[in-house]
Structure formats: structure tokens, C-alpha cells
Amino acid sequence: MISSLHATERGAGSKTIVLLHGFGGCHDIWHEVVPSLSPAARTLAYDLPGHGLSLDFPGAGPAKVAAKAVLADLTARSVRRVHLVGHSMGGAVATLMALAEPERVASLTLLAPGGFGPEINGPLLRRFAAARHPSDIRACLVAMSGPLTRPIDHTVDALGDMRRRPGQMEKLVEIAAAMTSDDRQGVIPRDRLDTLTMPVMVVWGSDDSVLPFTQTDNLPARFHVHHVLGAGHMLIEEAPDLVATIIRRNMNRRARPLRPKLAATG
């Protein structure tokens, strides 16, 4: 690929599943989810701009930049239509992609997505951004997970390896500072979400310490919402089998056309 955006590709088939990690993550965090997805599907797990092997992507940081980058990369790969999955910041990116080019998104699965409400745990995310030593990374993952979850060693190792790349720590600190300015995050307007007609599934842990699960309140009626009791923010690590099952189910749902609004009579 003539691009500085990295994706790991697995499988082959008529369906393509795009996986977008959250802030401070990388493509490798999906390693327990991918084997449980449809064997007839192709998966593309991206490193978002500013992360991992996409560290040097120009203008990395804003979700809008990442959304445009992934859409452009899919075009370069001649991928016309995808089943889109995003976690946290990757969920915000996925939502912006679906809003920008809805005809390319066959289904949208969002795991504790960013941008659904202004509340965000800025101090914890900034601490996570600055965590370099494995023990510090592990402590942050514990703080972001549910009470019964222990961080997976593979994830700790993968994030540690990523952060040893020159310039990675500085970029994460920069992105976190911009993303959590005044300990608030940017919000995608609810009326824009209401225009999405593809199957949308929103999954949220009841014990999420990063983004409160109450951000699922007042979502469009067409959206399916799944609360995972006892889970925290790190749903991919905490419940990989459940995440894979939900992705598969959402891929098999049918789109619901928008109902035209009735004109007011007077």
C-alpha cells in the first residue's frame, strides 16, 4: 500500500470486517476476537493514525482525520462495502465514517464509543497515555476494566512494544491532551445519528470508568443497545467471545429505511 496507514489483514471472503481500536491501542488488541468471527470473512484491523505502525500519519489525532484516512485506505484497497466495528475512540471514528459514506457501511458495531456524550475520564486517559512501564500499563487497564477482570498479558505486552517506538509516547500524550480538554469530549449530534439506516449495535459495560454507560440514553430507536453487566471499558479484552458474537449477529441484521417525517398540519 502506498500509505502510512497500517492494517493487518486476515482471511478472505465476500464480506470485509473493519476493526478500529480505541485510544492508546493497536491492531493487535483484536487477537482474541478475530478467530471467532465468520471464517468466510476478511478482517482488516487498523492501527489508527498516531498509533503503532500508523504513528507517522500526517495530522494524526482528531477522529475526523482518522475517519477520512480509513475511508481512503479502503478505497485504495478496492473495498466497496464493510462491516464496521469500533471501540472507544475507534467507535467515534467508525460513526464518522458511517455518517460520511453510509452506503459503504453494511453494519456498524460500536463498543463504548467516543463522542456519544461530553463526559470522559480525562485524568485516567492522560495517565494511560503516559504509561510506559508494563506495570503502569497494567494498572491503567485494571482501572479501565470491570471489577472481576484481569488484564491479558498479551495486551500489556503489545501496548508496551508499541510504546517503545520512537515518538509514540509523545504522540499519545499529545492526543490525550487534545481529546480530554477541560475533561470533556466532543459530541456527535444526536440528530446526525438518527440519519443512519444500517444495522447499528451499541455495546457498553455497566461499570465503564472511562465513558459512562448512560451515554446510551436517548439513542435513535433503530439502534440496538446491549449493556454488559459487570464489564468496564475494555470490552475487547474483557469479553472477546461476546464481542465476536455481537458482531456476527449485527452483520446478519437488515437495514431499516428511515420513515419520512409527517408534515405539520395547521
Side-chain angles (χ1 to χ4, degrees):
M1 298 298 298
I2 306 174
S3 170
S4 56
L5 194 67
H6 173 80
T8 296
E9 182 174 352
R10 293 185 183 178
S14 58
K15 295 182 178 181
T16 299
I17 304 171
V18 168
L19 304 169
L20 306 177
H21 63 79
F23 168 71
C26 63
H27 69 274
D28 206 25
I29 57 106
W30 300 97
H31 78 284
E32 287 201 357
V33 174
V34 170
S36 298
L37 296 175
S38 171
R42 168 195 190 189
T43 62
L44 287 169
Y46 280 87
D47 279 348
L48 291 177
H51 294 73
L53 298 177
S54 301
L55 173 60
D56 298 325
F57 194 91
K64 289 181 180 179
V65 170
K68 290 179 180 178
V70 177
L71 284 169
D73 190 76
L74 290 172
T75 297
R77 294 173 184 268
S78 300
V79 179
R80 290 186 175 183
R81 195 164 164 83
V82 300
H83 295 274
L84 195 51
V85 184
H87 171 239
S88 196
M89 185 177 78
V93 174
T95 304
L96 293 175
M97 290 173 60
L99 289 169
E101 299 189 23
E103 70 283 355
R104 298 184 67 173
V105 181
S107 71
L108 183 62
T109 304
L110 304 172
L111 313 174
F116 276 41
E119 303 86 2
I120 189 170
N121 190 335
L124 179 53
L125 285 176
R126 291 191 291 271
R127 175 185 160 201
F128 180 48
R132 183 188 302 269
H133 192 274
S135 63
D136 296 328
I137 296 172
R138 184 180 299 274
C140 289
L141 294 177
V142 168
M144 290 190 285
S145 301
L148 302 180
T149 304
R150 302 176 66 181
I152 298 172
D153 289 339
H154 179 91
T155 300
V156 175
D157 292 342
L159 298 185
D161 289 344
M162 182 185 88
R163 288 156 187 255
R164 281 191 285 273
R165 291 177 60 85
Q168 180 65 84
M169 296 295 301
E170 293 80 1
K171 176 56 71 173
L172 291 180
V173 169
E174 173 191 323
I175 294 174
M179 186 171 62
T180 64
S181 177
D182 298 323
D183 291 332
R184 311 293 275 180
Q185 66 170 339
V187 178
I188 301 169
R190 283 291 197 267
D191 60 343
R192 293 196 66 199
L193 297 178
D194 205 33
T195 65
L196 297 174
T197 58
M198 73 286 293
V200 181
M201 171 65 81
V202 180
V203 188
W204 224 295
S206 65
D207 288 40
D208 194 321
S209 61
V210 178
L211 302 172
F213 77 91
T214 51
Q215 291 180 1
T216 59
D217 294 347
N218 303 314
L219 289 178
R222 291 185 305 280
F223 284 27
H224 289 258
V225 178
H226 187 110
H227 287 143
V228 185
L229 296 179
H233 188 66
M234 309 305 288
L235 293 166
I236 301 167
E237 289 84 2
E238 296 181 67
D241 292 339
L242 175 63
V243 166
T245 297
I246 288 173
I247 293 170
R248 292 197 309 268
R249 288 177 179 172
N250 201 37
M251 289 172 64
N252 291 327
R253 289 195 171 99
R254 292 185 178 181
R256 297 185 181 185
L258 283 173
R259 293 181 180 179
K261 293 183 178 179
L262 297 178
T265 58

